[in-house]
Amino acid sequence: MSSFSIFAQGNYQLTDKLKVTAGVRQNWDEKNQFQNIAIFGQDPCGGTARAGCKWDDMTWKLGADYEISDSSMVYATVSKGFKAGGMNLSACFATYDPENVMAYEIGSKNTFLDGALMLNVSAFYYDYTDLQVSVYTATTVVTENAAAAKVYGAEFEGRLNPIENLSLSANLSLLHTEYQDYYSVNPLEQATGARPE
């Protein structure tokens, strides 16, 4: 297995209060597999074989921060993410594709009472293509792709220092996840060409 990437990121202060960020990353990944499975002396995969896969992808990020005051700011980001695919060692040469995501986030970070009170809030939306999912069967665990999935939610974070040496904190996360398109086949049935009823 090998992984190589080059990346660059920079910030630019448009005004005294507004800063923009941009970044880009090029990824190259390669994975190779030598497989020989034996179960009670039998090889369900039809013999020893080698398999190899290569992937490359460019990811990026754009963001902006705006300072409302010395103790309060808002921000927004949009980015493209990538996770290399792979091969399942416990299944018959079953490969899975890379995972891609478009991620959007907005939020605000604030301090009050001379720093004694901190309140942060954010909202996010993730749009996945070929989400990598672990599937558990009676005999093995394999990774496969869900064609499309979406995740969105919000997070709240607070901290209060009412007196010296005392800190009170609270966090709340709201999350919604949903498969948009996902068809799964038992990997053992897939190896023999059988389809589920």
Side-chain angles (χ1 to χ4, degrees), residues 9-185:
Q9 180 169 308
N11 302 318
Y12 186 74
Q13 199 76 34
L14 286 176
T15 69
D16 290 343
K17 295 181 177 295
L18 179 62
K19 180 180 70 175
V20 295
T21 300
V24 64
R25 180 187 184 104
Q26 177 64 47
N27 307 276
W28 295 272
D29 292 275
E30 179 178 359
K31 295 181 181 180
N32 295 284
Q33 173 179 304
F34 176 82
Q35 187 179 65
N36 188 349
I37 296 178
I39 302 176
F40 300 111
Q42 303 295 319
D43 184 355
C45 298
T48 301
R50 294 179 181 272
C53 295
K54 294 181 179 180
W55 305 273
D56 63 87
D57 194 81
M58 179 177 288
T59 57
W60 49 266
K61 174 183 179 180
L62 293 173
D65 303 341
Y66 184 79
E67 293 185 9
I68 299 174
S69 67
D70 291 340
S71 59
S72 182
M73 60 89 72
V74 293
Y75 67 91
T77 63
V78 57
S79 59
K80 179 182 182 292
F82 165 82
K83 183 179 180 182
M87 292 159 283
N88 291 290
L89 293 174
S90 57
C92 297
F93 313 111
T95 63
Y96 52 94
D97 293 329
E99 175 183 292
N100 291 276
V101 62
M102 286 297 300
Y104 308 86
E105 182 175 351
I106 58 173
S108 178
K109 298 182 178 182
N110 310 273
T111 58
F112 305 99
L113 304 177
D114 294 326
L117 175 63
M118 178 198 73
L119 292 174
N120 298 334
V121 59
S122 64
F124 54 87
Y125 176 81
Y126 300 151
D127 187 0
Y128 285 94
T129 302
D130 292 325
L131 176 68
Q132 294 173 8
V133 181
S134 295
V135 178
Y136 296 81
T137 71
T139 58
T140 188
V141 180
V142 298
T143 300
E144 61 183 25
N145 297 102
K150 299 185 186 300
V151 177
Y152 60 85
E155 294 183 345
F156 305 87
E157 179 184 13
R159 188 190 69 236
L160 176 64
N161 301 107
I163 59 174
E164 187 177 359
N165 299 324
L166 176 61
S167 178
L168 306 175
S169 61
N171 296 274
L172 173 65
S173 295
L174 304 174
L175 185 66
H176 177 88
T177 62
E178 181 180 356
Y179 289 118
Q180 301 292 304
D181 187 6
Y182 183 21
Y183 173 74
S184 179
V185 177

